[in-house]
Amino acid sequence: PPVRHTASVDLVLSASAVGVVVGIRGATINRVREKSGATISISPKPANLNDRQVLTVTGMISEAVEAIGMILDMLPEATAEPKASADLRIASTVMGHLIVGEGGVIINAIRNESEARIIIPLRHDQVAAASDSENRDDRSEGEYQQLVRVTGRLSQVVVAMRIISDRLETGRAVCSLRPRQRTETDG
C-alpha cells in the first residue's frame, strides 16, 4: 500500500475568528471538512471572546493544505494573520532525495520560498508509519516516518506544506507557490 504522508496543524485563532470558520450550526466547517477530506477539531470555547482557541487540522498533507487554504480565505481581512504549527510525518525513504536534498539544498530552498521555520528532528525521533492499531497491519517491516515541524504565520506554513506536498505527490521539484492574494471580489 502507498505510504501516507500526514499532517497535524494547530492554528491559534481568536474565538470570533473560530466562529466565522464554524459558521451557523457548523455548516461552514462541515463544508470545509467535506471538500478537503481533513479532520478539523476545535478547543473548547473560552469564556471571553478576546481569548484564543486552537483549531487543529489533520489528514493527508494535501487534505490539510486544502482545508487551511479555505480557512485562510474565509478569515476577515482585518483579522491578524494567525500563527500556525504543523507536524508533518513523511516516509523516511523519501526524506533525503525529495525533502532534504544533498547538503540540505532542497529544505533550504523550501525555507527560503515559504519563509517558514522548518525543523527536522534527529533520526531517533522517527516514528512507525502506522502507530494506531487499525493501520498497524498495513505497515511493512522497517517502514518509518520522519517528523518535519513547520512553524510561522499561517500563509508561510501553507506555502511550505504545498511545496512539500507537491514534491511528495510528483516525486520531483515543482514550480514555486505563493499564497493567493485576496481581491476585492473575495469578500
Side-chain angles (χ1 to χ4, degrees):
V3 177
R4 291 178 44 94
H5 305 285
T6 61
S8 177
V9 184
D10 290 333
L11 313 175
V12 180
L13 301 170
S14 68
S16 59
V18 169
V20 169
V21 172
V22 171
I24 297 171
R25 295 189 187 127
T28 306
I29 197 166
N30 286 335
R31 192 169 44 249
V32 172
R33 287 174 175 141
E34 186 177 306
K35 185 172 181 186
S36 68
T39 301
I40 304 171
S41 62
I42 303 167
S43 66
K45 190 172 185 174
N48 181 342
L49 280 182
N50 292 328
D51 288 341
R52 303 281 184 209
Q53 283 182 272
V54 177
L55 188 130
T56 302
V57 179
T58 57
M60 299 290 289
I61 295 173
S62 58
E63 294 169 343
V65 166
E66 183 172 355
I68 294 166
M70 293 170 70
I71 291 166
L72 186 58
D73 285 345
M74 70 178 71
L75 294 178
E77 194 75 32
T79 303
E81 186 176 4
K83 300 246 185 257
S85 174
D87 283 349
L88 311 180
R89 304 241 181 239
I90 298 171
S92 296
T93 55
V94 299
M95 276 296 292
H97 68 281
L98 287 180
I99 306 303
V100 177
E102 190 173 333
V105 69
I106 296 171
I107 196 69
N108 287 332
I110 296 170
R111 287 176 177 131
N112 289 336
E113 176 77 17
S114 66
E115 299 179 352
R117 183 169 186 226
I118 303 173
I119 298 171
I120 302 172
L122 299 174
R123 267 188 122 36
H124 69 272
D125 290 334
Q126 286 181 341
V127 294
S131 57
D132 52 315
S133 58
E134 66 197 38
N135 293 330
R136 193 173 305 278
D137 294 337
D138 292 341
R139 180 171 53 88
S140 306
E141 192 172 324
E143 184 179 298
Y144 288 91
Q145 292 184 327
Q146 176 68 45
L147 174 66
V148 177
R149 180 157 293 139
V150 183
T151 58
R153 293 188 324 271
L154 180 55
S155 61
Q156 295 169 326
V157 171
V158 168
V159 169
M161 289 176 62
R162 280 184 180 148
I163 294 168
I164 291 169
S165 178
D166 286 346
R167 290 186 68 82
L168 292 170
E169 288 178 13
T170 64
R172 60 180 173 74
V174 294
C175 62
S176 77
L177 297 168
R178 289 282 179 206
R180 184 173 71 84
Q181 297 297 316
R182 292 184 184 201
T183 63
E184 290 180 21
T185 59
D186 286 345

